[in-house]
Amino acid sequence: AQKITQTQPGMFVQEKEAVTLDCTYDTSDQSYGLFWYKQPSSGEMIFLIYQGSYDEQNATEGRYSLNFQKARKSANLVISASQLGDSAMYFCAMREVNTGTASKLTFGTGTRLQVTL
Amino acid sequence: EAQVTQNPRYLITVTGKKLTVTCSQNMNHEYMSWYRQDPGLGLRQIYYSMNVEVTDKGDVPEGYKVSRKEKRNFPLILESPSPNQTSLYFCASSLIGLKADTQYFGPGTRLTVL
């Protein structure tokens, strides 16, 4: 069974600094996708970044990058130049492709990031 | 605009009173899913559907029903709500398999069962 682990319940970062949010996963599937979502206090789920298991390059989207280390089964989110608006809950999620529920997302428990002045 | 809509956004009800939360997507996605979010537990899948008339249980299906009569709609039904179903509910949709590089989430429905 797939599993996502986020070991940091809460993180603080100073404005303009970079921060890394940890995510490790467990799967026996060779083909899978990894996702990060942001959930601000308003509650909606905002898709940030996606990494496929066969992608050779680490995914980047603006200030977000995914540090994908396949052998370690980790998919850490790096936010560069933090802004006050980055304060939110962040969820790591995984989708296994070669299963009957090919689009099911399994989520971690989340990391609450607080950006300070 | 591509989107997933849910209604209502907020609902307070009492134990045992049947309710339906609607979900609709305009992206012609095959896959639709319901999740509930509880503090410290992340999002857990309730039910999902791979296409019209094809539904299956997720990880926490007890106390819920769904239907998929049309591709765009995937309502969540609570026949007899109980206080432990107080939660934040999300509907999501996506393409299937290798094409599914993201899931699109609705805005969420905050349900309180008294």
Side-chain angles (χ1 to χ4, degrees), chain B residues 5-13 18-24 34 75-76 78 87-91 106-112:
Chain B
T5 57
Q6 290 178 232
N7 282 291
R9 294 288 312 281
Y10 303 89
L11 179 60
I12 301 174
T13 190
K18 180 180 178 180
L19 66 92
T20 299
V21 184
T22 64
C23 173
S24 182
W34 277 101
L76 179 70
L78 284 73
S87 188
L88 178 59
Y89 292 87
F90 287 101
C91 179
T109 295
R110 195 168 291 278
L111 172 65
T112 301

Side-chain angles (χ1 to χ4, degrees), chain A residues 28-80:
Chain A
S28 55
D29 202 343
Q30 295 301 309
S31 185
Y32 51 88
L34 296 156
F35 303 78
W36 278 91
Y37 288 86
K38 172 184 178 182
Q39 186 179 44
S41 57
S42 51
E44 72 268 30
M45 295 290 286
I46 301 169
F47 167 70
L48 294 178
I49 197 166
Y50 166 79
Q51 177 88 42
S53 59
Y54 291 115
D55 294 341
E56 294 185 354
Q57 304 247 356
N58 285 345
T60 61
E61 289 286 349
R63 293 185 301 110
Y64 304 108
S65 61
L66 200 152
N67 184 1
F68 180 46
Q69 298 188 39
K70 196 169 182 177
R72 294 186 176 185
K73 293 189 175 178
S74 74
N76 299 338
L77 176 70
V78 180
I79 306 175
S80 62

Side-chain angles (χ1 to χ4, degrees), chain B residues 50-107:
Chain B
M50 302 284 273
N51 215 323
V52 175
E53 303 291 1
V54 180
T55 64
D56 208 345
K57 297 176 181 179
D59 298 318
V60 288
E62 294 76 22
Y64 304 95
K65 285 175 58 176
V66 293
S67 68
R68 186 95 181 269
K69 294 184 170 58
E70 304 166 283
K71 198 172 187 179
R72 63 184 293 127
N73 296 324
F74 191 45
L76 179 70
I77 303 154
L78 284 73
E79 296 267 1
S80 183
S82 62
N84 64 12
Q85 292 178 298
T86 293
S87 188
L88 178 59
Y89 292 87
F90 287 101
C91 179
S93 75
S94 73
L95 298 170
I96 283 183
L98 290 173
K99 298 172 291 184
D101 60 351
T102 187
Q103 283 200 359
Y104 295 82
F105 281 80

Side-chain angles (χ1 to χ4, degrees), chain A residues 2 95-106, chain B residues 31 45 48 50 56-58 96-97 103:
Chain A
Q2 51 184 308
R95 174 179 63 87
E96 288 177 333
V97 175
N98 294 321
T99 66
T101 57
S103 293
K104 175 187 175 182
L105 285 177
T106 298
Chain B
Y31 185 89
Q45 190 180 51
Y48 66 94
M50 302 284 273
D56 208 345
K57 297 176 181 179
I96 283 183
Q103 283 200 359

